[in-house]
Amino acid sequence: TKWRSHPPPLTTPREEWLNHPSTVDLYCLGIVKASGIATLRDLRQKHVPLLKSMAEEGLSAIKRVYGVDNDQVRIFIHYQPQFYHFHIHFTRLENEVGCSVERGHLVSDVIQNLEMDDEYYCKRIISYKLLKGSPLENLIQVYSDNEV
């Protein structure tokens, strides 16, 4: 989790996490064990069952461990991701960290898009916010400078 107010996980018994006040800042990740999917662009229709399973199992674990109802959780994928091993984010609706429109893609929308078109994310132009001075911005700048 990425909670700012999480109780110390090594010293707080897990049963005390249930309905803990810090769940307002809930931020959990679901990480795929298998390799081969790095980003949203790698997803195809064959991954829809995986996405559905990750969402269902993540929501079930969040309800069981933290006591947060499914209708209070947002599930999304970053593009560009923070690291290139496929993962999905689970946050409380009150927690807006990382879910901005320039970066967060709702898993429910991703599933629907893949069901309509197997190569949706392979073909689609995806706009995203690029931070000044980030490694990718620096590479683009070097490339642009060499093109002139």
PDB file of all heavy atoms in Angstrom, residues 128-142 144-145:
ATOM      1  N   TYR A 128      -0.602  11.489 -22.602  1.00  0.00           N
ATOM      2  CA  TYR A 128      -0.235  11.414 -21.192  1.00  0.00           C
ATOM      3  C   TYR A 128       0.620  12.615 -20.822  1.00  0.00           C
ATOM      4  O   TYR A 128       1.209  13.266 -21.680  1.00  0.00           O
ATOM      5  CB  TYR A 128       0.491  10.100 -20.863  1.00  0.00           C
ATOM      6  CG  TYR A 128       1.739   9.858 -21.675  1.00  0.00           C
ATOM      7  CD1 TYR A 128       2.979  10.306 -21.241  1.00  0.00           C
ATOM      8  CD2 TYR A 128       1.664   9.187 -22.885  1.00  0.00           C
ATOM      9  CE1 TYR A 128       4.113  10.093 -21.987  1.00  0.00           C
ATOM     10  CE2 TYR A 128       2.793   8.970 -23.641  1.00  0.00           C
ATOM     11  CZ  TYR A 128       4.010   9.423 -23.197  1.00  0.00           C
ATOM     12  OH  TYR A 128       5.145   9.231 -23.949  1.00  0.00           O
ATOM     13  N   LYS A 129       0.633  12.892 -19.551  1.00  0.00           N
ATOM     14  CA  LYS A 129       1.403  14.011 -19.016  1.00  0.00           C
ATOM     15  C   LYS A 129       2.858  13.563 -18.850  1.00  0.00           C
ATOM     16  O   LYS A 129       3.130  12.529 -18.248  1.00  0.00           O
ATOM     17  CB  LYS A 129       0.807  14.410 -17.670  1.00  0.00           C
ATOM     18  CG  LYS A 129       1.449  15.588 -17.015  1.00  0.00           C
ATOM     19  CD  LYS A 129       0.714  15.895 -15.712  1.00  0.00           C
ATOM     20  CE  LYS A 129       1.327  17.004 -14.938  1.00  0.00           C
ATOM     21  NZ  LYS A 129       0.583  17.264 -13.703  1.00  0.00           N
ATOM     22  N   LEU A 130       3.747  14.348 -19.384  1.00  0.00           N
ATOM     23  CA  LEU A 130       5.167  14.043 -19.298  1.00  0.00           C
ATOM     24  C   LEU A 130       5.836  15.093 -18.417  1.00  0.00           C
ATOM     25  O   LEU A 130       5.774  16.289 -18.712  1.00  0.00           O
ATOM     26  CB  LEU A 130       5.777  14.046 -20.701  1.00  0.00           C
ATOM     27  CG  LEU A 130       7.195  13.567 -20.852  1.00  0.00           C
ATOM     28  CD1 LEU A 130       7.345  12.132 -20.360  1.00  0.00           C
ATOM     29  CD2 LEU A 130       7.605  13.656 -22.317  1.00  0.00           C
ATOM     30  N   LEU A 131       6.449  14.653 -17.345  1.00  0.00           N
ATOM     31  CA  LEU A 131       7.080  15.579 -16.406  1.00  0.00           C
ATOM     32  C   LEU A 131       8.387  16.124 -16.967  1.00  0.00           C
ATOM     33  O   LEU A 131       9.194  15.387 -17.542  1.00  0.00           O
ATOM     34  CB  LEU A 131       7.329  14.891 -15.065  1.00  0.00           C
ATOM     35  CG  LEU A 131       6.092  14.425 -14.311  1.00  0.00           C
ATOM     36  CD1 LEU A 131       6.483  13.679 -13.056  1.00  0.00           C
ATOM     37  CD2 LEU A 131       5.196  15.610 -13.973  1.00  0.00           C
ATOM     38  N   LYS A 132       8.582  17.406 -16.799  1.00  0.00           N
ATOM     39  CA  LYS A 132       9.805  18.056 -17.233  1.00  0.00           C
ATOM     40  C   LYS A 132      11.001  17.444 -16.506  1.00  0.00           C
ATOM     41  O   LYS A 132      10.981  17.262 -15.298  1.00  0.00           O
ATOM     42  CB  LYS A 132       9.715  19.557 -16.897  1.00  0.00           C
ATOM     43  CG  LYS A 132      10.745  20.381 -17.567  1.00  0.00           C
ATOM     44  CD  LYS A 132      10.274  20.749 -18.946  1.00  0.00           C
ATOM     45  CE  LYS A 132      11.219  21.750 -19.568  1.00  0.00           C
ATOM     46  NZ  LYS A 132      11.371  21.507 -20.978  1.00  0.00           N
ATOM     47  N   GLY A 133      12.012  17.051 -17.265  1.00  0.00           N
ATOM     48  CA  GLY A 133      13.211  16.472 -16.670  1.00  0.00           C
ATOM     49  C   GLY A 133      13.135  14.979 -16.435  1.00  0.00           C
ATOM     50  O   GLY A 133      14.100  14.374 -15.959  1.00  0.00           O
ATOM     51  N   SER A 134      12.007  14.346 -16.782  1.00  0.00           N
ATOM     52  CA  SER A 134      11.896  12.898 -16.615  1.00  0.00           C
ATOM     53  C   SER A 134      12.791  12.203 -17.647  1.00  0.00           C
ATOM     54  O   SER A 134      13.132  12.791 -18.684  1.00  0.00           O
ATOM     55  CB  SER A 134      10.447  12.441 -16.789  1.00  0.00           C
ATOM     56  OG  SER A 134      10.049  12.596 -18.137  1.00  0.00           O
ATOM     57  N   PRO A 135      13.198  10.956 -17.378  1.00  0.00           N
ATOM     58  CA  PRO A 135      14.062  10.253 -18.340  1.00  0.00           C
ATOM     59  C   PRO A 135      13.465  10.201 -19.754  1.00  0.00           C
ATOM     60  O   PRO A 135      14.179  10.409 -20.732  1.00  0.00           O
ATOM     61  CB  PRO A 135      14.200   8.850 -17.733  1.00  0.00           C
ATOM     62  CG  PRO A 135      14.023   9.072 -16.268  1.00  0.00           C
ATOM     63  CD  PRO A 135      13.000  10.168 -16.169  1.00  0.00           C
ATOM     64  N   LEU A 136      12.161   9.962 -19.869  1.00  0.00           N
ATOM     65  CA  LEU A 136      11.535   9.911 -21.186  1.00  0.00           C
ATOM     66  C   LEU A 136      11.555  11.282 -21.864  1.00  0.00           C
ATOM     67  O   LEU A 136      11.856  11.391 -23.058  1.00  0.00           O
ATOM     68  CB  LEU A 136      10.102   9.379 -21.083  1.00  0.00           C
ATOM     69  CG  LEU A 136       9.346   9.215 -22.398  1.00  0.00           C
ATOM     70  CD1 LEU A 136      10.115   8.316 -23.363  1.00  0.00           C
ATOM     71  CD2 LEU A 136       7.954   8.650 -22.131  1.00  0.00           C
ATOM     72  N   GLU A 137      11.285  12.328 -21.111  1.00  0.00           N
ATOM     73  CA  GLU A 137      11.322  13.681 -21.678  1.00  0.00           C
ATOM     74  C   GLU A 137      12.733  13.994 -22.168  1.00  0.00           C
ATOM     75  O   GLU A 137      12.909  14.576 -23.236  1.00  0.00           O
ATOM     76  CB  GLU A 137      10.870  14.708 -20.626  1.00  0.00           C
ATOM     77  CG  GLU A 137      10.578  16.081 -21.192  1.00  0.00           C
ATOM     78  CD  GLU A 137      11.743  17.054 -21.140  1.00  0.00           C
ATOM     79  OE1 GLU A 137      12.711  16.796 -20.404  1.00  0.00           O
ATOM     80  OE2 GLU A 137      11.686  18.073 -21.841  1.00  0.00           O
ATOM     81  N   ASN A 138      13.732  13.570 -21.410  1.00  0.00           N
ATOM     82  CA  ASN A 138      15.120  13.809 -21.814  1.00  0.00           C
ATOM     83  C   ASN A 138      15.456  13.071 -23.114  1.00  0.00           C
ATOM     84  O   ASN A 138      16.130  13.620 -23.990  1.00  0.00           O
ATOM     85  CB  ASN A 138      16.082  13.399 -20.702  1.00  0.00           C
ATOM     86  CG  ASN A 138      15.958  14.306 -19.485  1.00  0.00           C
ATOM     87  OD1 ASN A 138      15.510  15.453 -19.578  1.00  0.00           O
ATOM     88  ND2 ASN A 138      16.345  13.788 -18.332  1.00  0.00           N
ATOM     89  N   LEU A 139      14.981  11.831 -23.259  1.00  0.00           N
ATOM     90  CA  LEU A 139      15.225  11.072 -24.490  1.00  0.00           C
ATOM     91  C   LEU A 139      14.543  11.732 -25.687  1.00  0.00           C
ATOM     92  O   LEU A 139      15.123  11.809 -26.776  1.00  0.00           O
ATOM     93  CB  LEU A 139      14.719   9.635 -24.331  1.00  0.00           C
ATOM     94  CG  LEU A 139      15.545   8.713 -23.451  1.00  0.00           C
ATOM     95  CD1 LEU A 139      14.807   7.402 -23.222  1.00  0.00           C
ATOM     96  CD2 LEU A 139      16.901   8.452 -24.074  1.00  0.00           C
ATOM     97  N   ILE A 140      13.316  12.196 -25.485  1.00  0.00           N
ATOM     98  CA  ILE A 140      12.599  12.882 -26.562  1.00  0.00           C
ATOM     99  C   ILE A 140      13.346  14.146 -26.961  1.00  0.00           C
ATOM    100  O   ILE A 140      13.484  14.458 -28.144  1.00  0.00           O
ATOM    101  CB  ILE A 140      11.145  13.184 -26.137  1.00  0.00           C
ATOM    102  CG1 ILE A 140      10.360  11.879 -26.025  1.00  0.00           C
ATOM    103  CG2 ILE A 140      10.483  14.149 -27.110  1.00  0.00           C
ATOM    104  CD1 ILE A 140       8.996  12.024 -25.379  1.00  0.00           C
ATOM    105  N   GLN A 141      13.848  14.871 -25.977  1.00  0.00           N
ATOM    106  CA  GLN A 141      14.583  16.105 -26.259  1.00  0.00           C
ATOM    107  C   GLN A 141      15.849  15.813 -27.056  1.00  0.00           C
ATOM    108  O   GLN A 141      16.153  16.509 -28.030  1.00  0.00           O
ATOM    109  CB  GLN A 141      14.924  16.844 -24.958  1.00  0.00           C
ATOM    110  CG  GLN A 141      15.513  18.209 -25.165  1.00  0.00           C
ATOM    111  CD  GLN A 141      14.560  19.132 -25.908  1.00  0.00           C
ATOM    112  OE1 GLN A 141      13.401  19.244 -25.540  1.00  0.00           O
ATOM    113  NE2 GLN A 141      15.034  19.782 -26.950  1.00  0.00           N
ATOM    114  N   VAL A 142      16.587  14.775 -26.676  1.00  0.00           N
ATOM    115  CA  VAL A 142      17.807  14.400 -27.418  1.00  0.00           C
ATOM    116  C   VAL A 142      17.452  14.036 -28.847  1.00  0.00           C
ATOM    117  O   VAL A 142      18.102  14.467 -29.800  1.00  0.00           O
ATOM    118  CB  VAL A 142      18.532  13.230 -26.704  1.00  0.00           C
ATOM    119  CG1 VAL A 142      19.607  12.634 -27.591  1.00  0.00           C
ATOM    120  CG2 VAL A 142      19.132  13.698 -25.388  1.00  0.00           C
ATOM    121  N   SER A 144      14.794  14.983 -30.563  1.00  0.00           N
ATOM    122  CA  SER A 144      14.344  16.204 -31.259  1.00  0.00           C
ATOM    123  C   SER A 144      15.526  17.073 -31.668  1.00  0.00           C
ATOM    124  O   SER A 144      15.536  17.632 -32.758  1.00  0.00           O
ATOM    125  CB  SER A 144      13.383  16.997 -30.364  1.00  0.00           C
ATOM    126  OG  SER A 144      12.237  16.273 -30.104  1.00  0.00           O
ATOM    127  N   ASP A 145      16.498  17.179 -30.776  1.00  0.00           N
ATOM    128  CA  ASP A 145      17.688  17.992 -31.075  1.00  0.00           C
ATOM    129  C   ASP A 145      18.462  17.414 -32.254  1.00  0.00           C
ATOM    130  O   ASP A 145      19.028  18.159 -33.058  1.00  0.00           O
ATOM    131  CB  ASP A 145      18.602  18.088 -29.846  1.00  0.00           C
ATOM    132  CG  ASP A 145      17.987  18.919 -28.724  1.00  0.00           C
ATOM    133  OD1 ASP A 145      16.994  19.635 -28.986  1.00  0.00           O
ATOM    134  OD2 ASP A 145      18.493  18.834 -27.593  1.00  0.00           O
TER     135      ASP A 145
END
